[in-house]
Amino acid sequence: MLKPTAQIYSELQTAYDHFNKELFAGALPDCILLLDNKDKRTYGYYSYKQFVNDKGIMCDAIALNPQFFAARQIVEVMQTVVHEMCHLWQYHFGDKKSERTYHNKEWGDKMESVGLMPSASGRPGGRKTGQQMADYAIEGGAFLTACSS
């Protein structure tokens, strides 16, 4: 039986690897996955070149706020993982990097391509770009398909 720390990080790594393969064709680099609840309003965040690995190479980080895990369905937690993976994709492969906490059109287009609709309100009709963004799963989209595989 895994200890709680090993279990949660193993599950996060498994999710990252699965969505990387299914939604990003395995193109995303490895990153540090961590839990952080400093900002009580944020489900998660992405940081470019946040840590140095054991080979002296800078690694990105995706942080998730664990205080939301119990209050949200697992599919919503996975939406946050993929939302942050879209930021990672943009920093490594995009042409128009977003500013620190801004969500631009290029990021939004990538979100839609992986089956998540960006929406400031988290519901249909919400603004697709901006500072604080939520999202919802697109019915029949790649994200929900990947969740069921």
Side-chain angles (χ1 to χ4, degrees):
M1 178 175 208
L2 289 177
K3 292 184 178 184
T5 301
Q7 181 179 353
I8 188 72
Y9 283 103
S10 174
E11 290 171 0
L12 288 175
Q13 187 65 58
T14 297
Y16 180 89
D17 292 342
H18 174 73
F19 290 119
N20 189 16
K21 177 183 171 201
E22 296 296 321
L23 302 176
F24 299 90
L28 299 183
D30 288 332
C31 70
I32 305 292
L33 301 166
L34 56 103
L35 301 176
D36 182 354
N37 66 352
K38 285 184 283 194
D39 186 343
K40 305 288 188 227
R41 302 163 294 149
T42 302
Y43 292 157
Y45 64 85
Y46 163 75
S47 294
Y48 180 68
K49 293 189 175 184
Q50 184 70 26
F51 295 98
V52 177
N53 72 10
D54 61 347
K55 295 176 177 54
I57 298 169
M58 296 298 291
C59 289
D60 302 348
I62 289 177
L64 300 173
N65 187 340
Q67 82 179 26
F68 292 108
F69 288 8
R72 297 172 68 213
Q73 295 179 7
I74 189 68
V75 70
E76 293 173 312
V77 174
M78 294 301 104
Q79 280 177 231
T80 300
V81 172
V82 173
H83 173 125
E84 302 309 332
M85 290 172 78
C86 286
H87 287 296
L88 189 150
W89 171 88
Q90 186 179 34
Y91 271 78
H92 287 271
F93 304 106
D95 295 324
K96 297 178 169 80
K97 316 280 187 288
S98 290
E99 293 298 321
R100 188 172 180 275
T101 59
Y102 192 78
H103 300 80
N104 68 13
K105 184 175 179 336
E106 181 181 62
W107 169 85
D109 290 346
K110 186 62 178 177
M111 288 279 288
E112 287 187 57
S113 80
V114 300
L116 294 177
M117 181 61 68
S119 170
S121 67
R123 295 183 303 278
R127 196 178 65 253
K128 290 184 177 184
T129 62
Q131 207 61 31
Q132 301 253 327
M133 293 298 295
D135 53 75
Y136 60 92
I138 298 169
E139 287 299 322
F143 171 75
L144 288 177
T145 300
C147 283
S148 63
S149 64

